[in-house]
Amino acid sequence: MGTYLFGGTGELLDPQFDALSSLLDAGTFARVEQLGIADGWRCLEIGGGGGSVANWLADVVAPSGHVTVTDLDVSRLEERDNVTVLEHDVVSNILPGNAFDLVHARLVLFHLPARDAVLRKLRDSLRPGGWLVLDEFDCLPLEVLKAAPDDAKLIMRVKNALLTLLEQAGAELAWGARIEKALLDTGLRDVSGSREVQEWEGGSPGCRLLAATARQVRAKLPLSDDEFDRYLELMASPETIVSSYAMCSAQGRR
C-alpha cells in the first residue's frame, strides 16, 4: 500500500478529523439515509477516523443492527453495544464476504495505489442488494477566489506542494472524478453520484482542514517559518476565499 501522508499523532489528527466531520458528515448522512438504512442493517465503515460516521450509523441501525468500524489507528474509535472496532489494513487483511447491507469509505481509497483491488474486496463484502458508498475528493480544482496577489501565490504554492507529496505517497489526485465508473466496472448496479465544489472562507471547516493537513507535513513543505505562519493566518481569515476540492460521492448496489 502507499504511505498515508497524514498518519501522525492523535494530537495532530484530532483537528483534521473535527474539520472533516464538520465539512462532510451532513452530506454523508443524507446520502446514506436515501438508501433506506434502518434498524437491523449490518454496516461496515472503512477508515473510521474520529468515529463520527460509525457512531451515527450505530444510532440509525439500533437496536438490532450492527456496525463494524475499521482503521489502521483505532485510538479514536469507541466500542459500543452494537459497534465493533477492528484494527485492520483494508489492503492486506481479509474482509468477510456477503456480510454487510452497507459498506462506506470516505477519503480512504484515494490514498491507496491498490484502490481498484480494494474496491473489489469491498464489493465482495456486500450481501446481495447491499450498498457500497464512497466519498472522495478530486483535488485538482482548488483555486484562490479572494486574497491579495502575494497571498494567493502562497496558498497555491502550499496546495501544489501538498498535492506533490500526496502523489509521491501513492494517492490518485483525481480519484473522486472516476469513482462512478469504478463502481460500474466492479459490476455494481443502480450506480449514481454527485460532485460539488464550494467556496471555503478562512475559518470554515474546509480551510481548517487545509491548515490541519499543512501542519501534519510542515517539515516537508518548502516554506520559511514566516511563510508558513502567514499561510495559517490566511486559512483562519474570513478575508480569504478559495474554491474547494471537488467533493465527489457515489453509490452502487450489489
Side-chain angles (χ1 to χ4, degrees):
M1 65 180 294
T3 302
Y4 180 53
L5 190 61
F6 306 116
T9 67
E11 181 180 355
L12 285 174
L13 279 172
D14 282 344
Q16 181 180 339
F17 285 137
D18 175 67
L20 281 170
S21 177
S22 298
L23 183 65
L24 300 177
D25 276 0
T28 296
F29 300 164
R31 279 184 287 279
V32 173
E33 283 180 331
Q34 290 175 357
L35 303 180
I37 188 171
D39 177 16
W41 278 38
R42 313 289 289 184
C43 303
L44 174 63
E45 173 71 9
I46 297 290
S52 62
V53 175
N55 288 330
W56 178 81
L57 289 171
D59 291 339
V60 174
V61 303
S64 60
H66 188 270
V67 177
T68 300
V69 55
T70 79
D71 212 321
L72 293 171
D73 177 2
V74 298
S75 61
R76 289 164 295 276
L77 299 173
E78 180 183 0
E79 294 261 0
R80 295 171 49 179
D81 288 344
N82 68 335
V83 176
T84 297
V85 175
L86 182 64
E87 187 174 340
H88 183 271
D89 182 342
V90 72
V91 175
S92 59
N93 296 152
I94 295 171
L95 287 172
N98 301 298
F100 300 102
D101 302 293
L102 171 72
V103 175
H104 174 254
R106 187 166 76 188
L107 302 179
V108 175
L109 276 66
F110 166 81
H111 293 279
L112 306 177
R115 59 189 61 84
D116 291 302
V118 170
L119 190 60
R120 292 190 294 272
K121 184 184 292 189
L122 299 184
R123 173 204 62 196
D124 291 344
S125 71
L126 291 168
R127 293 173 172 172
W131 288 95
L132 174 57
V133 179
L134 300 179
D135 295 314
E136 302 281 2
F137 280 148
D138 174 356
C139 289
L140 301 182
L142 187 143
E143 300 291 345
V144 179
L145 301 179
K146 181 182 178 184
D150 286 346
D151 289 335
K153 290 178 182 178
L154 175 60
I155 292 169
M156 293 305 295
R157 280 178 59 200
V158 175
K159 174 207 171 178
N160 292 332
L162 282 169
L163 296 189
T164 296
L165 290 171
L166 281 164
E167 276 196 310
Q168 291 171 348
E172 181 180 339
L173 300 182
W175 165 242
R178 72 175 186 94
I179 54 176
E180 286 183 65
K181 183 178 185 301
L183 292 180
L184 287 168
D185 288 345
T186 65
L188 296 179
R189 59 185 177 87
D190 299 330
V191 172
S192 63
S194 64
R195 176 184 175 93
E196 181 181 9
V197 176
Q198 301 176 346
E199 291 187 3
W200 288 350
E201 181 181 279
S204 67
C207 284
R208 286 194 287 113
L209 175 63
L210 295 177
T213 54
R215 287 191 187 97
Q216 292 259 6
V217 295
R218 168 65 188 102
K220 299 179 181 180
L221 294 177
L223 301 175
S224 69
D225 288 343
D226 286 346
E227 288 172 327
F228 185 72
D229 290 344
R230 179 56 180 163
Y231 177 77
L232 296 182
E233 290 175 0
L234 291 168
M235 292 301 97
S237 170
E239 296 301 311
T240 301
I241 301 176
V242 299
S243 64
S244 71
Y245 298 136
M247 291 172 279
C248 306
S249 300
Q251 55 274 334
R253 194 172 198 176
R254 185 172 183 185

